[in-house]
Amino acid sequence: MARHQYYSNYGSYGRRNRVKPRNYVLFTFVTFLLIVGSFVFNIFQQVYSLSVATVEPTYLNFEPISTVNSWHNKEVKFVYLTFDDGPSRNTNKILDILDSHDIKGTFFVLGSSIDNVSGSKDILKRMASTGHYIGMHSMTHDYDHLYGEENAAQNFAAEMLEEQALIKQLTDGFVSELCRAPYGTGGTFTDAHVDELNKIGIKCWDWDVDSLDWESKATVDSIIENIEYCMTLWNYPTHTVVLFHEKDITVEVLPKVIEYYEELGYEFLPYNPDNHVVKNLFGSDNL
């Protein structure tokens, strides 16, 4: 009797009752269903939470990214090497020098030069394909037409649109958004010029440093001295635009100019329409 009393799994003849195999299978199956169900339920809850947290992009507000002015406790300074009046027989030489230093420049080309210089298309395509920026310097460089006539502002804008289309055609798609006014904007531009350029979405750059490479008696030493003088005069600006022309002396002095700015800690950049820097002698914030 004691055995039957304390061991209920034993039968009436003193032997332990055997659990049927189908009960094991049923128990295992139910356990499996519970585990899978819990997993699926957890996934569903996560997806539902994500869907609830999702909002339309129009509701998102982003803080503007601050301009980086220092890096490793050093002031960040940029120099833009710009070249007027090309393409010319010296353009590829200038490009070779820049490319050898892994530097990108900004070239303000003339429509008349494009028409008259052999290989202009290949030169422009090289500029565009290797990361240099192609700016516009007008079609004619004609002072009276661009500044002196009654409709000078409209003439100026029309020439820029004409040259913009020409550059796009020759480069298979490069659309320039920057011009340089022949002779600069100081003393030539009017408010109407600014208005006309704003209408067509084109910015305009002058310079901080005129290298004076265009002077007939310019030498390597005189150009370097003039650049040093201008940099001191303007107190080494954070963004410096240097004016060159595609002269023989420009090719000769360019490596020394690059070395000079490297020693000052400047980084070399081409113009970037997505990060426009105002640089004009007319004094307009709209150019």
Side-chain angles (χ1 to χ4, degrees):
M1 291 296 295
R3 181 169 186 149
H4 288 193
Q5 180 178 356
Y6 296 108
Y7 296 93
S8 59
N9 284 338
Y10 283 84
S12 57
Y13 294 98
R15 293 181 299 176
R16 185 184 180 101
N17 292 332
R18 300 176 62 185
V19 180
K20 295 179 180 180
R22 65 183 179 183
N23 292 338
Y24 280 119
V25 174
L26 180 61
F27 176 78
T28 303
F29 180 70
V30 171
T31 303
F32 175 76
L33 287 179
L34 289 173
I35 294 173
V36 172
S38 299
F39 178 76
V40 172
F41 178 77
N42 185 50
I43 294 297
F44 174 78
Q45 284 292 97
Q46 292 184 44
V47 172
Y48 176 76
S49 298
L50 288 174
S51 65
V52 171
T54 302
V55 296
E56 293 296 325
T58 53
Y59 295 103
L60 299 177
N61 294 318
F62 297 96
E63 293 293 329
I65 299 175
S66 301
T67 303
V68 177
N69 293 318
S70 62
W71 182 254
H72 293 289
N73 297 320
K74 292 183 179 180
E75 182 183 14
V76 178
K77 299 177 292 186
F78 304 101
V79 57
Y80 303 83
L81 303 181
T82 67
F83 304 87
D84 284 10
D85 296 347
S88 69
R89 60 186 177 85
N90 284 325
T91 308
N92 278 323
K93 297 176 184 178
I94 293 171
L95 287 170
D96 288 342
I97 294 171
L98 295 178
D99 290 348
S100 69
H101 288 83
D102 195 23
I103 291 172
K104 308 304 178 185
T106 303
F107 292 81
F108 291 98
V109 297
L110 271 173
S112 55
S113 296
I114 293 174
D115 292 337
N116 295 326
V117 173
S118 176
S120 291
K121 181 176 181 178
D122 291 336
I123 292 173
L124 293 179
K125 292 184 75 172
R126 177 184 177 183
M127 290 177 185
S129 64
T130 54
H132 303 279
Y133 196 87
I134 305 173
M136 300 169 289
H137 199 37
S138 80
M139 292 296 296
T140 64
H141 212 282
D142 186 324
Y143 187 96
D144 289 335
H145 184 66
L146 298 174
Y147 308 118
E149 297 178 4
E150 182 178 356
N151 296 321
Q154 290 83 356
N155 296 340
F156 189 98
E159 285 205 11
M160 295 308 160
L161 286 176
E162 182 181 357
E163 187 173 17
Q164 184 184 60
L166 178 61
I167 293 171
K168 181 179 179 180
Q169 174 191 351
L170 294 177
T171 59
D172 298 327
F174 184 91
V175 179
S176 181
E177 300 178 43
L178 182 70
C179 74
R180 170 166 284 158
Y183 311 104
T185 61
T188 59
F189 259 33
T190 63
D191 289 336
H193 284 81
V194 178
D195 292 340
E196 291 297 323
L197 286 179
N198 286 337
K199 288 178 184 178
I200 61 177
I202 291 177
K203 299 294 186 180
C204 196
W205 251 11
D206 287 319
W207 53 84
D208 299 298
V209 177
D210 183 351
S211 68
L212 300 182
D213 60 345
W214 50 270
E215 290 187 335
S216 59
K217 296 182 180 180
T219 64
V220 169
D221 289 340
S222 70
I223 291 173
I224 293 295
E225 289 175 4
N226 183 65
I227 290 176
E228 291 176 345
Y229 170 78
C230 290
M231 291 299 294
T232 303
L233 178 66
W234 298 117
N235 195 28
Y236 304 92
T238 301
H239 294 271
T240 302
V241 178
V242 184
L243 168 64
F244 290 104
H245 300 76
E246 299 191 6
K247 304 291 186 179
D248 292 342
I249 193 64
T250 308
V251 177
E252 187 176 351
V253 77
L254 186 55
K256 295 184 179 295
V257 173
I258 292 172
E259 181 181 357
Y260 169 74
Y261 280 106
E262 285 177 337
E263 290 177 353
L264 290 177
Y266 278 82
E267 297 288 335
F268 296 86
L269 290 179
Y271 175 73
N272 182 354
D274 295 327
N275 188 27
H276 176 70
V277 177
V278 175
K279 287 288 181 181
N280 65 85
L281 301 174
F282 185 67
S284 172
D285 291 333
N286 297 318
L287 282 178

